Amino acid sequence: MPHLLHIDSSAMSQGSVSRELAKTFRRAWQEENPDGVVTYRDLGAVPVPPLTEAGVTAGFTPPAAHDERQRAAMLLRDELVEELLAADTLLVSTPMYNWSIPSTLKAWLDQVLVNDRTITFDGTPGPLAGRPATVVASYGGGYTPGSPMEKANHCGPYLETVFGTGLGLRIEVIAAQLSLAPRVPGMADLVPLAEKSLAMAHQAAEKRAREVSAAPVR
C-alpha cells in the first residue's frame, strides 16, 4: 500500500505559500492513491526538539550501553526514523527563512539522520536510496539560476544535498519565487512575476505527485 510522509515546516498556519503547494501535491497524490496511507507532521505547530548531547552520543553508542538520558533521546529519534523508513514517498514543504530553512525543519533533519539507520558514510546505498522525495518551497525574493541572489539560496540546494546526497533519495525541489511581492510595497512591480511563479509551482507540484505515484511501490 503506498505510504506518503508529509512534513510541513512553515511557522504560519494561514497564508503559507509552501503549505498551499504541499496541499496541491498531496491532493494529487491521494487522487492517484485513494487507498494510500499518509503520515503527517506539522513542525510549525508541533516542533520536534533540537538534537541534544544525549541524542548525538546515543547514535554512536550500542543500545545496551545507553544511559537513561540516551534511552529517552533515542525514543524520539526511533519514532521519527521509523516514520521516514516506512514511507514510499516523502513530501516536505518549507519557506525560506533568512536565506535558509526553518529551525524546526533543521531539528527534524538532525533527529532522523542516524548513522547506519538512515544514512551511511561508507559509500554503500542507505535504506532510503531511490525513493522519491519532493520539496515544495517558497522564496520571498528571486533566487533563480543566474539571478544576483542565486548564491544566497541556502534552502533548496541544502535540502538537495541532505536528501539526495545524504539519503540517496530521488529529490526534486519545486519553488515559488518572489512570494513576498504581494505584501511588500517596494516589490509591487514584481507581483505579476510572483503570480506566474506560483502558478507554475502548483502545476509542477501536481505533475510531480502524479509522476511519483506512477512509479512502482517498493
Side-chain angles (χ1 to χ4, degrees):
M1 183 177 297
H3 190 157
L4 172 69
L5 175 59
H6 174 187
I7 305 291
D8 278 335
S9 63
S10 173
M12 304 300 293
S13 61
Q14 303 294 325
S16 166
V17 171
S18 62
R19 287 179 183 271
E20 290 302 313
L21 289 172
K23 287 179 182 178
T24 293
F25 179 102
R26 179 165 164 176
R27 182 166 53 249
W29 186 89
Q30 290 183 302
E31 287 174 358
E32 297 293 327
N33 300 281
D35 298 322
V37 175
V38 178
T39 299
Y40 177 62
R41 277 195 177 267
D42 185 343
L43 300 178
V46 186
V48 300
L51 193 60
T52 62
E53 179 181 10
V56 172
T57 57
F60 295 92
T61 305
H66 286 176
D67 61 25
E68 184 175 345
R69 292 184 305 159
Q70 289 173 321
R71 283 193 293 272
M74 283 307 296
L75 282 176
L76 173 62
R77 300 194 78 182
D78 287 341
E79 177 184 354
L80 297 174
V81 165
E82 289 306 316
E83 284 182 354
L84 180 58
L85 292 175
D88 302 296
T89 303
L90 175 65
L91 167 64
V92 175
S93 78
T94 180
M96 178 189 286
Y97 287 165
N98 302 314
W99 302 284
S100 187
I101 63 173
S103 60
T104 52
L105 180 54
K106 182 59 165 63
W108 179 81
L109 287 170
D110 287 340
Q111 295 284 8
V112 300
L113 293 172
V114 181
N115 187 39
D116 293 331
R117 292 197 62 193
T118 59
I119 190 169
T120 63
F121 295 99
D122 60 3
T124 60
L128 295 164
R131 300 185 201 179
T134 306
V135 171
V136 289
S138 60
Y139 300 159
Y143 298 86
T144 54
S147 68
M149 293 296 290
E150 177 185 3
K151 292 184 178 179
N153 180 359
H154 305 293
C155 180
Y158 167 70
L159 293 174
E160 288 177 340
T161 298
V162 174
F163 291 130
T165 304
L167 296 175
L169 294 162
R170 293 189 289 109
I171 178 70
E172 180 172 331
V173 176
I174 298 167
Q177 308 276 339
L178 303 167
S179 64
L180 286 176
R183 290 182 282 171
V184 177
M187 298 176 67
D189 60 329
L190 297 174
V191 168
L193 288 176
E195 292 175 344
K196 180 179 179 181
S197 179
L198 180 59
M200 292 176 62
H202 277 288
Q203 292 172 1
E206 179 176 353
K207 179 182 178 183
R208 172 69 171 175
R210 299 193 190 284
E211 286 176 346
V212 299
S213 296
V217 176
R218 61 185 173 85

mmCIF file of all heavy atoms in Angstrom, residues 10-17 19-20 23 183:
data_model
loop_
_atom_site.group_PDB
_atom_site.id
_atom_site.type_symbol
_atom_site.label_atom_id
_atom_site.label_comp_id
_atom_site.label_asym_id
_atom_site.label_seq_id
_atom_site.Cartn_x
_atom_site.Cartn_y
_atom_site.Cartn_z
ATOM 1 N N SER A 10 6.428 25.474 7.839
ATOM 2 C CA SER A 10 6.200 26.908 7.982
ATOM 3 C C SER A 10 5.655 27.238 9.366
ATOM 4 O O SER A 10 4.837 26.502 9.924
ATOM 5 C CB SER A 10 5.202 27.401 6.931
ATOM 6 O OG SER A 10 4.862 28.755 7.163
ATOM 7 N N ALA A 11 6.096 28.358 9.920
ATOM 8 C CA ALA A 11 5.569 28.820 11.203
ATOM 9 C C ALA A 11 4.152 29.372 11.060
ATOM 10 O O ALA A 11 3.452 29.521 12.066
ATOM 11 C CB ALA A 11 6.483 29.903 11.782
ATOM 12 N N MET A 12 3.735 29.661 9.833
ATOM 13 C CA MET A 12 2.424 30.260 9.583
ATOM 14 C C MET A 12 1.377 29.183 9.346
ATOM 15 O O MET A 12 1.538 28.333 8.462
ATOM 16 C CB MET A 12 2.488 31.194 8.372
ATOM 17 C CG MET A 12 3.540 32.286 8.483
ATOM 18 S SD MET A 12 3.258 33.374 9.906
ATOM 19 C CE MET A 12 1.723 34.163 9.396
ATOM 20 N N SER A 13 0.293 29.237 10.108
ATOM 21 C CA SER A 13 -0.790 28.284 9.902
ATOM 22 C C SER A 13 -1.721 28.733 8.788
ATOM 23 O O SER A 13 -2.432 27.916 8.191
ATOM 24 C CB SER A 13 -1.592 28.099 11.199
ATOM 25 O OG SER A 13 -2.177 29.326 11.607
ATOM 26 N N GLN A 14 -1.752 30.037 8.508
ATOM 27 C CA GLN A 14 -2.582 30.592 7.448
ATOM 28 C C GLN A 14 -1.714 31.440 6.519
ATOM 29 O O GLN A 14 -0.763 32.081 6.955
ATOM 30 C CB GLN A 14 -3.709 31.452 8.033
ATOM 31 C CG GLN A 14 -4.618 30.726 9.014
ATOM 32 C CD GLN A 14 -5.431 29.630 8.357
ATOM 33 O OE1 GLN A 14 -5.840 29.770 7.199
ATOM 34 N NE2 GLN A 14 -5.672 28.544 9.072
ATOM 35 N N GLY A 15 -2.065 31.458 5.254
ATOM 36 C CA GLY A 15 -1.358 32.297 4.298
ATOM 37 C C GLY A 15 0.019 31.811 3.928
ATOM 38 O O GLY A 15 0.828 32.581 3.403
ATOM 39 N N SER A 16 0.296 30.542 4.154
ATOM 40 C CA SER A 16 1.611 29.989 3.846
ATOM 41 C C SER A 16 1.633 29.450 2.422
ATOM 42 O O SER A 16 0.863 28.548 2.076
ATOM 43 C CB SER A 16 1.960 28.860 4.830
ATOM 44 O OG SER A 16 3.063 28.106 4.366
ATOM 45 N N VAL A 17 2.512 29.995 1.608
ATOM 46 C CA VAL A 17 2.636 29.537 0.225
ATOM 47 C C VAL A 17 3.143 28.102 0.177
ATOM 48 O O VAL A 17 2.646 27.274 -0.598
ATOM 49 C CB VAL A 17 3.570 30.475 -0.567
ATOM 50 C CG1 VAL A 17 3.886 29.897 -1.947
ATOM 51 C CG2 VAL A 17 2.936 31.852 -0.712
ATOM 52 N N ARG A 19 2.816 25.713 2.375
ATOM 53 C CA ARG A 19 1.757 24.779 2.788
ATOM 54 C C ARG A 19 0.746 24.566 1.662
ATOM 55 O O ARG A 19 0.256 23.443 1.454
ATOM 56 C CB ARG A 19 1.051 25.294 4.040
ATOM 57 C CG ARG A 19 1.859 25.182 5.332
ATOM 58 C CD ARG A 19 1.064 25.757 6.506
ATOM 59 N NE ARG A 19 1.820 25.748 7.742
ATOM 60 C CZ ARG A 19 1.839 24.739 8.615
ATOM 61 N NH1 ARG A 19 1.111 23.669 8.373
ATOM 62 N NH2 ARG A 19 2.554 24.824 9.723
ATOM 63 N N GLU A 20 0.405 25.634 0.951
ATOM 64 C CA GLU A 20 -0.555 25.507 -0.142
ATOM 65 C C GLU A 20 0.008 24.649 -1.269
ATOM 66 O O GLU A 20 -0.714 23.863 -1.887
ATOM 67 C CB GLU A 20 -0.946 26.892 -0.659
ATOM 68 C CG GLU A 20 -1.793 27.698 0.314
ATOM 69 C CD GLU A 20 -3.084 26.981 0.698
ATOM 70 O OE1 GLU A 20 -3.769 26.469 -0.206
ATOM 71 O OE2 GLU A 20 -3.395 26.926 1.910
ATOM 72 N N LYS A 23 -0.367 21.127 -0.241
ATOM 73 C CA LYS A 23 -1.747 20.662 -0.393
ATOM 74 C C LYS A 23 -2.023 20.230 -1.827
ATOM 75 O O LYS A 23 -2.723 19.240 -2.069
ATOM 76 C CB LYS A 23 -2.720 21.759 0.021
ATOM 77 C CG LYS A 23 -2.790 22.012 1.522
ATOM 78 C CD LYS A 23 -3.771 23.131 1.832
ATOM 79 C CE LYS A 23 -3.815 23.425 3.333
ATOM 80 N NZ LYS A 23 -4.737 24.552 3.647
ATOM 81 N N ARG A 183 2.926 41.428 -0.639
ATOM 82 C CA ARG A 183 2.807 42.044 0.686
ATOM 83 C C ARG A 183 3.804 43.164 0.942
ATOM 84 O O ARG A 183 3.682 43.879 1.933
ATOM 85 C CB ARG A 183 2.973 40.961 1.759
ATOM 86 C CG ARG A 183 1.817 39.983 1.825
ATOM 87 C CD ARG A 183 2.019 38.978 2.923
ATOM 88 N NE ARG A 183 2.962 37.944 2.548
ATOM 89 C CZ ARG A 183 3.448 37.038 3.381
ATOM 90 N NH1 ARG A 183 3.114 37.059 4.646
ATOM 91 N NH2 ARG A 183 4.295 36.127 2.953
#
